[in-house]
Amino acid sequence: MSSASQLLKSCTEAVEAIRNECDSILSTERYCNESSLAGCGPALVDLLFRQASQIRVCYQNLHTAAAEIPPEERTLVLKRLDDILSISYAKFYAFVFKDLPTCWRQLYTDASILKFCLSFLQHPYLYRQATHCEAYEAPLDEAGCKLGELVKILDLALILAGAAGEQRGRKWVNDTLELLYVVWREAAVPKGSLALEPPKKRSKLALPLNTASSIDEMKTEDVFSMAEPFTPPVKHPIKRVDDLPMEAFQAYMDNPRDLKLGPEPLIIRGSIRDWPAVTTNPWSKPSYLLSRTFDGRRLVPIEIGRSYVDEGWGQKIIAFGEFLREYIDPSLVRAQVDSGSDPTASASLKRPTAYLAQHPLLTQLPSLRNDILIPDYCYTAPPPHPIDPSIDQPELDEPLLNAWFGPPGTITPLHNDPYHNILTQVVGRKYVRLYSPLDTEHMQARGRENGVEMGNTSLMDVGAVEGWDVLSDNDGGHYAREDLDAFRKVPFLDCILEPGDALYIPIGWWHYVRGLSVSFSVSFWWN
């Protein structure tokens, strides 16, 4: 079965499954189960059922003229699905995410799946491969092949709703995106295209998914710039050791120099040297990252601003390729060169700092997850918080993974976390400064701000205190002399993390992190 046929079959089955689940709920009239669609109430379940029924008819008549849903009817179905998405998303703001009833996340996910399935039928350029393989020479805009819109529908379900749902959910979304990419590569990528934007016309010759595509031809020096606009001095170096066996690391935690403090930060060199992200699938190559993000079309949530405590800081969701082009390394822009425009014009514009920070990117993109390994250290038995047992969390089943990817100058302000952390440096360099939990009283924790608990974040901006950054009063740039003097007397440890390093940050240690170059890190929380 061809990839296009598999994708059609998957869509057909998903539409049928959503319709049947809604029908079952409406038939039994049981609406108290918040872990399924039933918890959303009969009106929304019925609305979803009716949209699934209409889309089902289109798939049943796929090989006839009846599959071409009238434009006005299609517009109405899409509007109703968007209404369902808006209603369910509004519920996300009524709860802390961990307390959000699963039914609302599943409703958002299932409405997204239906929207994808209906939108996919408007791309005969893709799905007609399931029945014939002749070259389809119409321009992509005429064929309606706005691939980014299809990707966006499912990525928003992943990012916003976690693609909830036992029967479909994340597995269906991930499998569908993978199939869609294969279909696209087989059908649409012309030789020599970067594919950050759809090509003007499709080539008859398809590029196999597993070949070194034209993305690799973007630049002969296709690696991120490692330029460092500023490098802070290291004053109190953290202890470094070569790759430690798991038993030796456990012994290090069990036998601290200071029993009251517990284990101290430690840099372990060489512990990630065998990761594919460092060796065969290098994350230092933008072409590789593009090849694993649907040629840059996958969406990612990014932070805009120097630090999340600064005035004007914000968040937005953009395509990964746009993130690379506009924020990470503007010198990589190929599309501008191809169009005859000046590639230095974009680079010369002063743009705000953007950071893909503390995002479960490797859950969203399983292909990148395969490039790393969870360090054995995350399966040891670390000690509890040294001074405040209330910070300790229930034991995790698996480590929590987060990605941190950004240009030079990204800053994670001074804060502490409720877990032990292994921070691995895959690409570029970062400066890290750490303060003992025994000095928590000198960290001037923020407390609750604008309804958000910020008690784990310090009022003191290390960059401003050291004179590396000049901040406005709105960004906390003004400190009382006595506060500055007191903070400067607090002892600390610091380091520059090099590619291949893993930094152990014990629970409760305050830490400030500053990107020196283009930098890609992965953190592993465990307890």
Side-chain angles (χ1 to χ4, degrees):
M1 183 183 295
S2 70
S3 299
S5 297
Q6 291 180 57
L7 186 50
L8 274 177
K9 181 174 183 290
S10 179
C11 288
T12 303
E13 292 173 348
V15 171
E16 187 72 25
I18 293 171
R19 182 186 178 279
N20 289 344
E21 184 173 342
C22 292
D23 188 35
S24 175
I25 292 169
L26 294 169
S27 300
T28 57
E29 298 185 352
R30 295 178 181 177
Y31 305 111
C32 57
N33 185 2
E34 290 190 340
S35 64
S36 74
L37 288 174
C40 298
L44 284 171
V45 173
D46 180 64
L47 185 60
L48 189 69
F49 169 78
R50 285 187 278 121
Q51 309 323 303
S53 296
Q54 288 186 268
I55 299 171
R56 174 180 177 243
V57 171
C58 295
Y59 274 85
Q60 288 175 334
N61 299 322
L62 187 61
H63 302 298
T64 70
E68 300 292 337
I69 183 170
E72 62 277 6
E73 185 177 332
R74 175 179 177 273
T75 299
L76 184 57
V77 173
L78 287 174
K79 183 181 183 304
R80 286 171 175 166
L81 288 173
D82 283 337
D83 289 341
I84 295 172
L85 291 170
S86 296
I87 293 169
S88 55
Y89 186 58
K91 296 293 183 180
F92 293 13
Y93 289 93
F95 299 87
V96 177
F97 192 78
K98 66 181 179 65
D99 299 327
L100 177 66
T102 304
C103 62
W104 298 110
R105 294 171 52 220
Q106 183 179 343
L107 179 64
Y108 188 100
T109 302
D110 281 347
S112 298
I113 290 173
L114 290 179
K115 185 176 180 180
F116 173 89
C117 293
L118 177 58
S119 300
F120 182 64
L121 288 183
Q122 305 309 305
H123 296 69
Y125 166 82
L126 292 174
Y127 78 74
R128 283 179 183 166
Q129 295 179 74
T131 55
H132 60 80
C133 301
E134 307 91 44
Y136 191 87
E137 288 300 331
L140 297 193
D141 52 353
E142 291 180 18
C145 192
K146 297 181 180 177
L147 195 63
E149 288 302 312
L150 289 174
V151 175
K152 177 181 178 180
I153 294 167
L154 296 184
D155 256 337
L156 288 177
L158 285 169
I159 295 169
L160 300 179
E166 293 183 5
Q167 296 184 42
R168 293 163 297 278
R170 182 177 296 277
K171 185 179 187 309
W172 189 92
V173 171
N174 285 336
D175 290 348
T176 298
L177 283 167
E178 183 177 348
L179 274 174
L180 182 64
Y181 184 63
V182 174
V183 172
W184 167 251
R185 298 299 288 177
E186 289 176 348
V189 179
K191 185 172 179 58
S193 170
L194 173 60
L196 286 179
E197 299 295 337
K200 294 298 182 185
K201 286 186 180 287
R202 183 173 67 91
S203 169
K204 294 181 181 179
L205 179 63
L207 288 178
L209 180 64
N210 60 352
T211 63
S213 74
S214 57
I215 296 173
D216 286 306
E217 299 165 11
M218 178 171 57
K219 253 193 167 186
T220 54
E221 65 274 24
D222 179 25
V223 293
F224 291 116
S225 168
M226 289 296 108
E228 296 184 10
F230 171 70
T231 306
V234 174
K235 298 179 180 179
H236 305 288
I238 296 171
K239 180 180 179 182
R240 291 178 178 267
V241 297
D242 291 324
D243 191 8
L244 277 182
M246 184 176 177
E247 297 78 9
F249 182 70
Q250 182 69 63
Y252 175 80
M253 292 189 295
D254 291 343
N255 301 282
R257 293 188 305 171
D258 184 335
L259 294 177
K260 183 179 180 182
L261 175 61
E264 300 177 39
L266 181 70
I267 294 175
I268 306 168
R269 293 176 297 215
S271 61
I272 67 170
R273 62 173 174 263
D274 295 328
W275 282 10
V278 177
T279 57
T280 56
N281 300 336
W283 289 5
S284 60
K285 290 177 68 70
S287 61
Y288 177 74
L289 295 179
L290 287 168
S291 76
R292 291 299 179 264
T293 55
F294 222 128
D295 293 350
R297 291 182 181 86
R298 296 300 300 270
L299 301 185
V300 289
I302 62 171
E303 301 177 356
I304 304 295
R306 190 190 69 103
S307 163
Y308 66 72
V309 297
D310 286 356
E311 183 92 357
W313 177 89
Q315 297 172 294
K316 70 177 183 177
I317 296 174
I318 67 172
F320 187 82
E322 181 184 352
F323 179 48
L324 290 190
R325 182 176 66 242
E326 301 296 336
Y327 296 102
I328 296 294
D329 193 344
S331 68
L332 297 171
V333 178
R334 169 68 174 269
Q336 290 179 326
V337 177
D338 287 345
S339 64
S341 61
D342 182 2
T344 63
S346 174
S348 65
L349 295 176
K350 179 62 176 176
R351 296 186 180 278
T353 300
Y355 199 11
L356 195 164
Q358 198 166 343
H359 173 55
L361 181 71
L362 308 181
T363 301
Q364 182 193 349
L365 302 175
S367 58
L368 287 181
R369 173 63 182 84
N370 296 332
D371 292 340
I372 68 160
L373 304 170
I374 296 178
D376 290 344
Y377 311 130
C378 296
Y379 297 102
T380 55
H385 194 283
I387 59 173
D388 189 354
S390 69
I391 294 178
D392 291 316
Q393 302 295 307
E395 185 173 351
L396 296 169
D397 294 330
E398 289 289 334
L400 299 177
L401 281 62
N402 281 303
W404 309 78
F405 181 34
T410 55
I411 290 173
T412 303
L414 190 61
H415 71 288
N416 63 46
D417 297 316
Y419 297 97
H420 293 263
N421 184 6
I422 297 290
L423 177 61
T424 58
Q425 190 64 19
V426 183
V427 178
R429 306 205 310 165
K430 279 182 172 171
Y431 173 85
V432 186
R433 178 179 290 197
L434 300 105
Y435 293 85
S436 162
L438 302 182
D439 291 313
T440 293
E441 63 180 299
H442 302 299
M443 295 296 103
Q444 299 192 40
R446 287 178 172 266
R448 197 168 186 83
E449 297 180 358
N450 300 318
V452 179
E453 180 53 54
M454 299 281 285
N456 73 327
T457 303
S458 171
L459 281 167
M460 306 305 293
D461 188 304
V462 171
V465 169
E466 292 291 349
W468 305 335
D469 302 314
V470 178
L471 306 182
S472 68
D473 289 346
N474 289 336
D475 289 334
H478 178 73
Y479 297 107
R481 172 56 59 184
E482 57 270 23
D483 291 339
L484 275 176
D485 290 342
F487 184 74
R488 285 170 173 158
K489 292 177 182 177
V490 180
F492 62 84
L493 299 173
D494 60 351
C495 70
I496 290 179
L497 276 185
E498 305 280 352
D501 285 347
L503 171 62
Y504 166 51
I505 304 176
I507 187 173
W509 277 74
W510 295 79
H511 47 290
Y512 163 93
V513 186
R514 185 184 189 103
L516 304 182
S517 64
V518 172
S519 171
F520 208 145
S521 315
V522 181
S523 61
F524 301 82
W525 281 1
W526 95 103
N527 58 10

